[in-house]
Structure formats: structure tokens, C-alpha cells
Amino acid sequence: MSSLKGKTIIVTGAANGIGLAEANLLAQSGANVVFTDVDEANGISAAKAWGTQGMFIRHDVSSSADWERVVAAAITRFGRLDGLINNAGIYRPGSLEETSEENFDSQVAINQKGTFFGMKYTAAEMKKTGGGSIVNTSSICGIRGFRGCIAYNGTKWAIRGLTKTAAVELGEHGIRVNAILPGFVDTKILAANSPEMNQQAAKDSVLNRLGSPQDIALLARYLVSDESSFVTGSDFLADGGYTL
């Protein structure tokens, strides 16, 4: 996508899985990409593959200070900021009765507060250059209730609300905000489920398979690019028809 050439985009959770696929595809499409993650070894290696187009920053998305540092480093290196993909998240299953306060708080801090911080600190820079695009990562767990992951579900519903509210507030500044809702995607995060659950999820998809990180990356690239210039405040399901 030619509209991405020379743009600078931050991708959180970019050392592995969906975030890595997103960051690589954006760099391949000509963007300057800031890879952020707590996984330094894989993050450094991933960014290094793109030479001057890529940079890695260790980043705890639940920390406002880390967000300020990441945004400042992106501006220092590339001179501007045009997009953000809020991909970082954790999944720690547990029912209402099983979920501890610590479990609940950790998922809210990373999934929900991390998304909030990302929008807050990147939008301030995007306003300076006349606009940009923010893509938040919700889930099919953000449109229905699933047994056994109450804290995770709560954060993914919240991300949809954050997305729509930010879209309303930032639209006048030319900043678009949308959400992707992945279904069951074949990444390490599925290891928290039983093999039987993941096998059943593939069977329950209309397409009879799990998603791939590249499936989600292609959608994220569209949303962060100018090709989606009239799209904001929207939810985009990418679940192979699982929720039909």
C-alpha cells in the first residue's frame, strides 16, 4: 500500500504472534515501524531485520511513563507519528469464582489501560501532523460472553467502548480509531486453552480453520492506511465466521 510509505507506526506486542505479523507487514509496505514489547530478545531481532525502517523499544503498556518514552523515541528517530496498533495483551482464563483480584487487575492494566494510554499519548502527536489512525485489538470475547474468562472478556468489551468514544473525540483532528475483533488465531496465547477447545473452535468456524496472524495483519494494514480514510469508530470481526 503506497499510502504507508514514509509513515511512522507504533505496534505494541510486536515481538511475537499477531503483533509481529502486523509490524512486519507494515514495514514491508514501506512504513517506519516502532516494535514495542516486553520480550526484548525477539523484539530486537524482529526490528533489526528492517534496518533503518525498524526500531525496538522495551515497553510495558500499562506504564504511562513507558508510553511517554516510546512516543518521544519514535519522534526523535522518525520525526513524526502517523499510526498506532494497540496489539499487546494478555489472556489469563478464570471463571467469576476462580479469578483473583491480582488476575483481574493484571488483565485490566495491560489490555484495557494499555489501550487507553496508547490512544492518549499517540493522539497528542498525531494532532500535530494533521491526523492519523489508531487500531485497537478487541476480540470476539468483546461481543458475547464466554465461560471461564471473565476478566479478559471484560477488557475486550471495554476496548470497544474506548474505541468508539475516542473516535468521536478525535475525529475533528483527522484521527481515526477502529477496533479489530479476532477470533481464535493460531498463536502462543491459545496454549492457555485445552487442545480440545482449540480444535473445536476450528471446527466451529465457517471456514473450518483457526485464523493466522497474517489474516489479522492484513486487516490492520488496511485500517492504519489511507485506504480506509472514511472508516472510524467501527468494529471489524476477523473470526472465520465463528460468531455467525
Side-chain angles (χ1 to χ4, degrees):
M1 290 191 176
S2 60
S3 69
L4 288 172
K5 275 194 182 280
K7 290 194 173 184
T8 301
I9 302 165
I10 295 170
V11 181
T12 68
N16 302 281
I18 292 173
L20 176 59
E22 290 168 337
N24 283 338
L25 185 60
L26 293 174
Q28 181 185 332
S29 302
N32 300 314
V33 182
V34 181
F35 292 65
T36 86
D37 208 296
V38 292
D39 181 350
E40 291 188 61
N42 286 327
I44 290 170
S45 175
K48 188 176 180 181
W50 294 101
T52 57
Q53 273 183 261
M55 70 179 294
F56 172 77
I57 306 173
R58 192 185 189 285
H59 183 196
D60 172 2
V61 296
S62 68
S63 164
S64 59
D66 268 21
W67 271 106
E68 291 180 313
R69 182 172 54 82
V70 165
V71 170
I75 298 301
T76 298
R77 172 75 174 268
F78 297 116
R80 58 183 291 137
L81 184 60
D82 304 281
L84 165 69
I85 299 180
N86 266 321
N87 167 75
I90 60 172
Y91 169 56
R92 294 176 178 168
S95 69
L96 174 62
E97 293 184 348
E98 295 167 340
T99 299
S100 66
E101 182 177 4
E102 180 185 9
N103 181 324
F104 184 89
D105 287 348
S106 65
Q107 293 182 82
V108 169
I110 294 172
N111 300 354
Q112 184 174 334
K113 190 164 72 169
T115 297
F116 164 73
F117 281 153
M119 294 191 295
K120 177 181 176 69
Y121 290 105
T122 62
E125 288 299 329
M126 291 181 201
K127 288 177 183 179
K128 297 176 183 178
T129 52
S133 177
I134 297 171
V135 180
N136 295 327
T137 307
S138 178
S139 166
I140 56 172
C141 293
I143 59 169
R144 60 163 61 171
F146 282 88
R147 184 186 300 273
C149 50
I150 191 165
Y152 181 80
N153 275 33
T155 65
K156 294 305 180 177
W157 278 87
I159 287 169
R160 291 179 58 222
L162 290 170
T163 298
K164 293 182 184 299
T165 305
V168 171
E169 294 185 358
L170 298 175
E172 65 187 271
H173 302 286
I175 301 171
R176 300 180 297 104
V177 190
N178 292 288
I180 295 177
L181 283 62
F184 287 80
V185 178
D186 192 9
T187 65
K188 292 178 182 177
I189 201 169
L190 291 190
N193 297 333
S194 68
E196 294 76 19
M197 180 178 179
N198 294 329
Q199 290 164 10
Q200 189 61 48
K203 291 178 183 177
D204 290 343
S205 162
V206 170
L207 299 180
N208 198 34
R209 68 175 177 89
L210 297 176
S212 72
Q214 190 73 357
D215 291 327
I216 310 305
L218 287 163
L219 178 54
R221 181 178 68 171
Y222 165 70
L223 291 173
V224 84
S225 76
D226 292 343
E227 276 73 7
S228 57
S229 63
F230 198 54
V231 178
T232 194
S234 295
D235 295 328
F236 287 82
L237 271 169
D239 69 347
Y242 181 91
T243 54
L244 288 175

